[in-house]
Amino acid sequence: MLASCSYRMQNAAMSISITIRDVPRGVRDTLAARAARSGRSLQEHLRAELIELARQPLVDEVLARARVRKEATGSRLPAKQILALRDIDRR
Protein backbone atom coordinates (compact mmCIF):
# COMPACT_ATOMS: atom_id res chain seq x y z
CA MET A 1 0.00 0.00 0.00
CA LEU A 2 2.77 2.45 0.95
CA ALA A 3 4.66 1.63 -2.25
CA SER A 4 1.54 2.27 -4.32
CA CYS A 5 0.93 5.63 -2.64
CA SER A 6 4.59 6.62 -3.07
CA TYR A 7 4.47 5.67 -6.77
CA ARG A 8 1.35 7.79 -7.36
CA MET A 9 2.87 10.78 -5.56
CA GLN A 10 6.07 10.48 -7.60
CA ASN A 11 4.12 10.36 -10.87
CA ALA A 12 2.02 13.37 -9.85
CA ALA A 13 5.17 15.43 -9.32
CA MET A 14 6.86 14.38 -12.57
CA SER A 15 7.08 16.88 -15.38
CA ILE A 16 5.45 16.16 -18.69
CA SER A 17 7.23 16.93 -21.94
CA ILE A 18 5.39 18.34 -24.92
CA THR A 19 6.85 18.49 -28.41
CA ILE A 20 5.42 20.88 -30.98
CA ARG A 21 6.49 20.31 -34.55
CA ASP A 22 6.34 22.51 -37.64
CA VAL A 23 6.49 25.86 -35.84
CA PRO A 24 7.16 28.57 -38.42
CA ARG A 25 10.62 30.13 -38.06
CA GLY A 26 9.17 33.62 -37.62
CA VAL A 27 6.95 32.45 -34.76
CA ARG A 28 9.90 30.76 -33.07
CA ASP A 29 12.04 33.88 -33.50
CA THR A 30 9.33 36.12 -32.03
CA LEU A 31 8.87 33.83 -29.02
CA ALA A 32 12.64 33.57 -28.51
CA ALA A 33 12.93 37.37 -28.58
CA ARG A 34 10.16 37.71 -25.99
CA ALA A 35 11.88 35.14 -23.82
CA ALA A 36 15.19 36.97 -24.06
CA ARG A 37 13.55 40.30 -23.18
CA SER A 38 12.10 38.73 -20.05
CA GLY A 39 15.45 37.16 -19.13
CA ARG A 40 14.23 33.60 -19.59
CA SER A 41 15.09 30.75 -21.88
CA LEU A 42 12.62 29.91 -24.63
CA GLN A 43 11.61 26.80 -22.68
CA GLU A 44 11.01 28.78 -19.47
CA HIS A 45 9.04 31.40 -21.37
CA LEU A 46 6.84 28.86 -23.15
CA ARG A 47 6.26 26.93 -19.91
CA ALA A 48 5.08 30.12 -18.16
CA GLU A 49 2.85 30.99 -21.11
CA LEU A 50 1.28 27.51 -21.14
CA ILE A 51 0.61 27.65 -17.40
CA GLU A 52 -1.08 31.04 -17.79
CA LEU A 53 -3.07 29.81 -20.79
CA ALA A 54 -4.32 26.81 -18.83
CA ARG A 55 -5.39 29.05 -15.92
CA GLN A 56 -7.66 31.16 -18.11
CA PRO A 57 -11.13 29.71 -18.73
CA LEU A 58 -12.32 29.39 -22.31
CA VAL A 59 -15.01 31.82 -23.46
CA ASP A 60 -17.46 28.92 -23.79
CA GLU A 61 -16.82 27.97 -20.15
CA VAL A 62 -17.43 31.52 -18.93
CA LEU A 63 -20.63 31.79 -20.95
CA ALA A 64 -21.86 28.41 -19.68
CA ARG A 65 -21.29 29.51 -16.06
CA ALA A 66 -23.13 32.77 -16.73
CA ARG A 67 -26.08 30.87 -18.21
CA VAL A 68 -26.23 28.60 -15.16
CA ARG A 69 -26.17 31.61 -12.81
CA LYS A 70 -28.84 33.35 -14.85
CA GLU A 71 -31.11 30.31 -14.73
CA ALA A 72 -30.48 29.82 -11.00
CA THR A 73 -31.32 33.43 -10.13
CA GLY A 74 -34.12 33.92 -12.64
CA SER A 75 -32.59 37.29 -13.57
CA ARG A 76 -34.30 38.96 -16.50
CA LEU A 77 -32.86 42.48 -16.50
CA PRO A 78 -32.87 44.26 -19.87
CA ALA A 79 -29.47 45.21 -21.27
CA LYS A 80 -30.16 48.95 -20.83
CA GLN A 81 -30.73 48.48 -17.12
CA ILE A 82 -27.62 46.37 -16.70
CA LEU A 83 -25.51 49.01 -18.43
CA ALA A 84 -27.07 51.79 -16.33
CA LEU A 85 -26.28 49.88 -13.13
CA ARG A 86 -22.75 49.27 -14.34
CA ASP A 87 -22.27 52.96 -15.04
CA ILE A 88 -23.48 53.92 -11.55
CA ASP A 89 -20.71 51.76 -10.09
CA ARG A 90 -18.12 53.58 -12.19
CA ARG A 91 -18.91 57.03 -10.82
Side-chain angles (χ1 to χ4, degrees), residues 28-38 42:
R28 185 257 175 227
D29 293 346
T30 299
L31 292 170
R34 289 179 186 170
R37 282 194 300 272
S38 66
L42 179 56

Side-chain angles (χ1 to χ4, degrees), residues 1-83:
M1 171 93 165
L2 182 59
S4 175
C5 182
S6 175
Y7 175 76
R8 274 183 264 149
M9 287 175 57
Q10 180 182 5
N11 282 343
M14 290 178 61
S15 295
I16 302 298
S17 294
I18 298 174
T19 301
I20 301 174
R21 297 185 190 337
D22 301 323
V23 176
R25 183 177 302 273
V27 171
R28 185 257 175 227
D29 293 346
T30 299
L31 292 170
R34 289 179 186 170
R37 282 194 300 272
S38 66
R40 298 183 290 195
S41 69
L42 179 56
Q43 180 176 329
E44 290 169 327
H45 178 71
L46 291 175
R47 181 179 180 278
E49 290 293 313
L50 287 172
I51 289 169
E52 183 58 30
L53 180 64
R55 284 185 181 140
Q56 301 297 320
L58 297 173
V59 172
D60 292 345
E61 294 168 342
V62 173
L63 292 175
R65 289 196 311 253
R67 285 186 195 101
V68 168
R69 282 195 308 272
K70 181 180 173 188
E71 290 300 318
T73 62
S75 176
R76 300 284 185 254
L77 293 175
K80 266 187 169 180
Q81 189 175 359
I82 292 170
L83 294 174

